[in-house]
Amino acid sequence: MNTKEALKLLNITDDQFELSVEKLNKIQGIREYIDESEKYITKSHRLLFLKNSATIVLTAKEVEKNIQQAKNEIVDIAFDGYTTWYKSHNSDIANVAMYKLAMAFKDEGYHVWNSTYGNDICASIYVEIDECDSKIQIFVPNSTEDNMDNEDFCDYYVSPKDIEDEAIDGDMKFFQPHEISEIVSYVKALHAMYKATCKVRNNSWNK
């Protein structure tokens, strides 16, 4: 399996998206399992029609469930777990957006994890910073166009959180989809500011 075939399988239209050879090999192995499972379903239906159900080990429904799990695993492999399955988040857009953003922060040495929650309108990641237990939550687009009535958003939304997990007023900011490097620069600036603020606060506590 080559990258083009894998991107088509994952419904990724971004031709800049890259998959490592290791990921492609894993995806190929799972794809072969899915193909064989689909053949098994066809065979099981034929055996039932012939009244020869004794040779069926798994039911068609059980195999279909396994196939769906395998498809989910392919997505998780491709995006390193930065995925969402909630319909409102529009996974075709959100997964690519989360993955690209997470990789940009990991390249800068930050610890990042998937903070997606079903009740949120958009999927998100958390960027961990060490000072004062602060963290940055960044919501990713769920659409290519804004439509408030349909809860569609095409921008990234940076929302810093304090130790109580409350948004820090004044530091929240929107970014356009092509501004990933700007998002990283903004978060790094916030990190430096929180670091300085925390140092002053700790010094005052120690007096």
Side-chain angles (χ1 to χ4, degrees):
M1 175 175 287
N2 58 39
T3 298
K4 187 176 180 180
E5 291 170 336
L7 294 182
K8 184 178 180 180
L9 177 64
L10 292 159
N11 198 29
I12 299 174
T13 57
D14 186 346
D15 56 7
Q16 300 298 313
F17 195 90
E18 297 182 0
L19 292 168
S20 66
V21 174
E22 181 183 3
K23 286 185 178 181
L24 287 173
N25 288 338
K26 287 181 178 179
I27 291 171
Q28 174 64 27
I30 298 173
R31 178 69 256 185
E32 291 173 358
Y33 163 78
I34 291 173
D35 290 342
E36 289 301 315
S37 296
E38 289 173 342
K39 291 178 184 176
Y40 179 90
I41 290 176
T42 302
K43 181 180 178 181
S44 67
H45 284 317
R46 185 168 66 251
L47 288 172
L48 284 174
F49 178 76
L50 296 172
K51 309 298 183 182
N52 191 15
S53 60
T55 61
I56 299 176
V57 179
L58 294 174
T59 66
K61 284 188 176 181
E62 289 173 328
V63 177
E64 286 170 357
K65 183 179 179 180
N66 291 341
I67 289 174
Q68 186 57 55
Q69 290 175 340
K71 288 180 178 179
N72 291 350
E73 186 176 352
I74 286 177
V75 175
D76 273 335
I77 289 171
F79 299 107
D80 287 349
Y82 296 104
T83 56
T84 178
W85 307 107
Y86 298 104
K87 186 176 180 180
S88 63
H89 295 164
N90 193 347
S91 61
D92 287 344
I93 293 175
N95 289 346
V96 174
M98 272 198 293
Y99 177 78
K100 283 187 170 183
L101 192 60
M103 293 305 104
F105 278 104
K106 282 191 169 186
D107 287 344
E108 295 293 329
Y110 285 95
H111 178 64
V112 185
W113 72 91
N114 189 343
S115 57
T116 298
Y117 183 59
N119 287 347
D120 290 333
I121 296 172
C122 296
S124 66
I125 64 169
Y126 262 138
V127 180
E128 184 179 341
I129 56 179
D130 298 330
E131 284 68 37
C132 296
D133 296 315
S134 299
K135 54 184 175 286
I136 312 292
Q137 188 172 19
I138 307 174
F139 294 92
V140 303
N142 66 356
S143 177
T144 56
E145 296 180 359
D146 275 336
N147 187 323
M148 296 290 287
D149 293 335
N150 292 335
E151 296 185 332
D152 292 339
F153 301 95
C154 65
D155 292 329
Y156 289 90
Y157 178 56
V158 178
S159 178
K161 301 294 181 70
D162 60 21
I163 193 172
E164 302 296 334
D165 207 35
E166 296 293 333
I168 300 175
D169 292 335
D171 292 341
M172 297 170 283
K173 191 173 181 179
F174 286 97
F175 290 88
Q176 294 180 6
H178 64 275
E179 296 181 315
I180 289 182
S181 61
E182 287 84 350
I183 295 172
V184 175
S185 296
Y186 181 63
V187 169
K188 289 173 72 174
L190 288 177
H191 187 181
M193 181 178 69
Y194 296 157
K195 184 175 182 178
T197 303
C198 191
K199 185 175 181 180
V200 170
R201 188 186 307 169
N202 288 339
N203 287 341
S204 66
W205 288 341
N206 292 331
K207 288 182 179 179

